[in-house]
Amino acid sequence: MAKNNRGKTLRTMPYHARGECPHCHRTGVKLMYEIKAGDKTIKVCKVCKSTPAEKLGA
Ligand SMILES: [Zn+2]
């Protein structure tokens, strides 16, 4: 499996894929993981990627 969340890929993304996680509200974390919450997709950090969408309140 390719390393999609590393290296050059990050530089092509806005803010180098960093920001505030909508779930744990840590700042400066990589938001690389998309999870489905209802009919929309939100990006969360590595820690939150395994959190069920219902718990995210989105
Ligand atoms: Zn998080």
Side-chain angles (χ1 to χ4, degrees), residues 20-26 29 31 44-49 51:
E20 182 179 349
C21 176
H23 181 49
C24 63
H25 297 287
R26 291 193 304 160
V29 292
L31 303 174
V44 296
C45 70
K46 190 158 92 174
V47 178
C48 297
K49 74 170 181 203
T51 307

Side-chain angles (χ1 to χ4, degrees), residues 14-50:
Y15 309 107
H16 296 188
R18 285 180 192 272
E20 182 179 349
C21 176
H23 181 49
C24 63
H25 297 287
R26 291 193 304 160
T27 56
V29 292
K30 277 201 286 187
L31 303 174
M32 300 301 305
Y33 305 91
E34 293 183 346
I35 56 172
K36 289 217 167 84
D39 54 349
K40 58 183 177 178
T41 306
I42 58 174
K43 288 193 171 188
V44 296
C45 70
K46 190 158 92 174
V47 178
C48 297
K49 74 170 181 203
S50 57

